[in-house]
Amino acid sequence: MKVLIVGGVAGGASAAARIRRLDENAHIVMIERSGYVSYANCGLPYYVGGVIEKQGELTLQTPESFHKRFNIDVRARHEVTSINTDEKTVTIKALDSGKIYTETYDKLLLAPGAKPTIPVLSGIESERVFTLRTVEDTLRIRRFVEEHRPRNAVLAGGGFIGLEMAENLTEMGVSVTIVQRPKQLLKPLDEDMAAFVHAQARSHGITLRLGETVTGFRQQNDEVLTLLKDKDPLHADMVLMAIGVTPDTHLAKDAGLDLGTRGSIVVNEKMETSANDVYAAGDAVEVRHFVTGEKTLISLAGPANKQGRIAADNICGGNSRFNGPQGSMILKLFDMTAASTGINEKTAQTLGIDYDKVVLSPESHASYYPGGQVMVMKILYEKKTLRLLGAQIIGYDGVDKRIDVLATALRAGMTATELTELDLAYAPPYSSAKDPVNMAGFIIENLEGEKVRQFHWEQVEDLPHDGSAILLDVRTKGEYQRGHLEGFVNIPLDNLREHIDELDSDKPVYINCQSGLRSYLACRILIQKGFQCSHLSGGFGFYRTVTREHQMVHSIYPCGMEKA
């Protein structure tokens, strides 16, 4: 069996190695347009910043080592220019010599990946405007940084690459400005959770120009001007385009394969395309989201590697199936970690899913053990079935552990209340006896059992301030004086019982505290005394961060917030 693989990075390289493990006699040819195979896309920004010091550490295998270990014919700097699915041939061009030749195949795997999305803008061909997708891109940027020592940079786009490059350039002493049309960074997060990412970026000197549109570039002596719609241009020594990626599927299109979302390659669960004996995997393929069942694109290394392995199994006569990604992601931004899995509120609303959410701020490990740090967790679940829909976490320690637990629970089909049953490892340096994931389950269990009601940060401005309700802040006097919600009266939790007789039980009570724990306890006290009570999900700390960032992005003063 002769297998041709187009693309030698995540999907292609994993498929090639898997085919060899399954079939020692297969003739495997891997064609890669760049000069590198099996390299770590996700590590590229860290090489620019010098965190990864040696260029060789970016490549898991070289063409030579890949051939030696797996006996695979690796042809770097070769490009497939056309595919004939009827004759089962491909046309290949050797980029260094210019030679054009034809290869036959029994099975063909397309793993061309995605390419940086480059809009049609004036001046984008400037030598000071960069993209980052391949090792060659990385070497070019690092060479520029070392030779020119830029003082400032503009990054067009605030996704994974944009934020990772922002961090690395900032650590090198470069003044960074991020510009993008959407009014938040990190699309997988909701606006309220992204607020913490915004605050982190600003605290490290990164300027955010959100809700602004780049219209072009103009080189001016040793700097490049980023032109903005209805705004003054930004002056910088370099620009990085990081507005996203587009499936690289021109070969598939020209070969007559069925295409789907944004021109991606349509495949079934076995990674088979619409053409016989042609498979596809990685960032170029359309997938069905595990949570929603909707067709979508998810450009992440994990799914690409899994798809490559599944395609390899089926190429070798197996019956493996890819059941869809859920978009689990994690990002380091200086000392902060942002992570998510499943879907967010925006997606749930777009699809009309009847969902609820909880926000909590537990510590990463037992509070009495030194070094614990607060993380903010947001869990979404479907109201009727209680199935988990998604989770988002922002924090400094232990975020990776919790997002992976939640991703596993979601994959396993656990309900939100079943999170209470997870038997997770505990020792004071690592967790609490009630792990943050367990705590999320307890909160949901309380809501579903009608032990408490909640209201959210975006509902604060709609609370009744006309005396028809009791607005209560149960934090300490000092906390209250440092900032509080407009109209909320301070009665610390520990003094609440002695003041209950002063409250009108005919009026609904809305309570807030710093994180949501004390307000829950206060609600339990009042509910058992005949009050109708709701508390602020996430607490005042969550509300303050979200509304302050909302103010900066939308240029309005947050409703209900008093100046501290």
Side-chain angles (χ1 to χ4, degrees), residues 215-440:
T215 59
F217 304 96
R218 185 170 68 245
Q219 188 151 341
Q220 184 173 286
N221 300 323
D222 290 334
E223 64 178 9
V224 58
L225 273 59
T226 300
L227 309 179
L228 303 176
K229 182 179 180 180
D230 301 325
K231 302 285 184 179
D232 293 334
L234 300 175
H235 295 249
D237 297 320
M238 63 179 292
V239 169
L240 176 72
M241 294 294 298
I243 62 174
V245 294
T246 301
D248 190 359
T249 56
H250 66 282
L251 282 174
K253 180 180 179 180
D254 293 344
L257 272 60
D258 290 348
L259 302 181
T261 306
R262 291 177 55 200
S264 57
I265 303 171
V266 172
V267 294
N268 61 18
E269 293 176 341
K270 299 179 71 172
M271 310 312 298
E272 295 171 323
T273 71
S274 58
N276 290 333
D277 295 322
V278 179
Y279 298 74
D283 293 352
V285 305
E286 179 184 77
V287 295
R288 284 193 180 274
H289 197 285
F290 179 77
V291 176
T292 68
E294 297 289 313
K295 296 178 180 179
T296 187
L297 287 171
I298 293 183
S299 299
L300 294 170
N305 277 276
K306 294 180 182 71
Q307 291 164 18
R309 179 185 173 92
I310 289 167
D313 286 352
N314 295 319
I315 285 170
C316 294
N319 190 32
S320 294
R321 296 177 184 274
F322 183 63
N323 293 318
Q326 61 198 60
S328 299
M329 74 89 183
I330 193 164
L331 174 86
K332 171 185 174 293
L333 185 60
F334 302 101
D335 57 344
M336 173 184 277
T337 301
S340 72
T341 188
I343 64 172
N344 56 26
E345 281 197 78
K346 292 173 292 191
T347 302
Q349 291 166 1
T350 299
L351 297 177
I353 297 174
D354 187 20
Y355 72 96
D356 206 346
K357 59 185 176 181
V358 295
V359 177
L360 61 157
S361 302
E363 287 200 38
S364 56
H365 61 242
S367 58
Y368 58 83
Y369 187 89
Q373 294 177 294
V374 170
M375 65 180 74
V376 180
M377 302 174 64
K378 180 178 182 180
I379 316 293
L380 273 65
Y381 63 97
E382 190 173 39
K383 286 183 180 181
K384 183 177 181 180
T385 64
L386 299 184
R387 72 175 176 124
L388 288 167
L389 297 174
Q392 302 164 51
I393 310 178
I394 308 289
Y396 298 90
D397 180 48
V399 171
D400 54 342
K401 170 183 175 179
R402 276 61 186 222
I403 202 66
D404 282 343
V405 170
L406 287 162
T408 303
L410 190 156
R411 196 77 183 185
M414 294 179 63
T415 65
T417 52
E418 286 177 329
L419 297 177
T420 63
E421 302 176 19
L422 289 175
D423 189 357
L424 303 175
Y426 160 61
Y430 301 105
S431 184
S432 300
K434 296 177 182 177
D435 187 86
V437 175
N438 296 136
M439 290 302 302

Side-chain angles (χ1 to χ4, degrees), residues 36-295:
Y36 302 86
V37 299
S38 192
Y39 59 82
N41 293 83
C42 302
L44 300 182
Y46 300 100
Y47 178 71
V48 173
V51 178
I52 298 173
E53 297 180 355
K54 298 178 181 179
Q55 177 184 331
E57 294 173 337
L58 290 174
T59 50
L60 306 177
Q61 297 280 350
T62 65
E64 294 76 22
S65 68
F66 211 87
H67 177 267
K68 186 174 183 180
R69 174 161 294 182
F70 297 106
N71 189 27
I72 291 172
D73 182 359
V74 180
R75 302 179 191 176
R77 297 283 301 156
H78 283 63
E79 181 178 11
V80 173
T81 58
S82 66
I83 301 168
N84 188 320
T85 58
D86 292 329
E87 297 181 3
K88 302 181 80 168
T89 61
V90 299
T91 302
I92 303 170
K93 179 178 181 180
L95 297 179
D96 292 332
S97 67
K99 177 184 176 182
I100 297 175
Y101 60 99
T102 299
E103 286 281 358
T104 61
Y105 66 84
D106 296 309
K107 304 286 185 179
L108 175 66
L109 172 65
L110 301 179
K115 55 188 177 182
T117 302
I118 307 296
V120 179
L121 297 173
S122 61
I124 203 164
E125 69 284 351
S126 167
E127 62 183 11
R128 290 176 178 263
V129 177
F130 301 88
T131 59
L132 180 57
R133 186 66 180 174
T134 66
V135 173
E136 286 89 345
D137 294 335
T138 309
L139 300 179
R140 178 175 169 234
I141 296 172
R142 179 156 169 170
R143 186 163 54 246
F144 178 88
V145 170
E146 290 175 343
E147 292 177 358
H148 296 276
R149 302 292 178 186
R151 296 162 301 170
N152 42 55
V154 169
L155 306 186
F160 298 109
I161 292 295
L163 286 174
E164 289 167 349
M165 279 298 296
E167 174 189 348
N168 280 276
L169 290 173
T170 299
E171 296 282 28
M172 297 171 69
V174 179
S175 178
V176 173
T177 298
I178 297 177
V179 183
Q180 70 167 20
R181 186 180 303 169
K183 291 189 175 181
Q184 73 164 73
L185 304 175
L186 276 188
K187 185 179 179 181
L189 301 182
D190 284 312
E191 175 190 7
D192 47 13
M193 297 297 283
F196 292 85
V197 177
H198 297 178
Q200 173 77 342
R202 296 184 202 275
S203 72
H204 284 80
I206 297 173
T207 300
L208 302 182
R209 301 288 294 268
L210 306 178
E212 299 190 10
T213 303
V214 175
T215 59
F217 304 96
R218 185 170 68 245
Q219 188 151 341
Q220 184 173 286
N221 300 323
D222 290 334
E223 64 178 9
V224 58
L225 273 59
T226 300
L227 309 179
L228 303 176
K229 182 179 180 180
D230 301 325
K231 302 285 184 179
D232 293 334
L234 300 175
H235 295 249
D237 297 320
M238 63 179 292
V239 169
L240 176 72
M241 294 294 298
I243 62 174
V245 294
T246 301
D248 190 359
T249 56
H250 66 282
L251 282 174
K253 180 180 179 180
D254 293 344
L257 272 60
D258 290 348
L259 302 181
T261 306
R262 291 177 55 200
S264 57
I265 303 171
V266 172
V267 294
N268 61 18
E269 293 176 341
K270 299 179 71 172
M271 310 312 298
E272 295 171 323
T273 71
S274 58
N276 290 333
D277 295 322
V278 179
Y279 298 74
D283 293 352
V285 305
E286 179 184 77
V287 295
R288 284 193 180 274
H289 197 285
F290 179 77
V291 176
T292 68
E294 297 289 313
K295 296 178 180 179

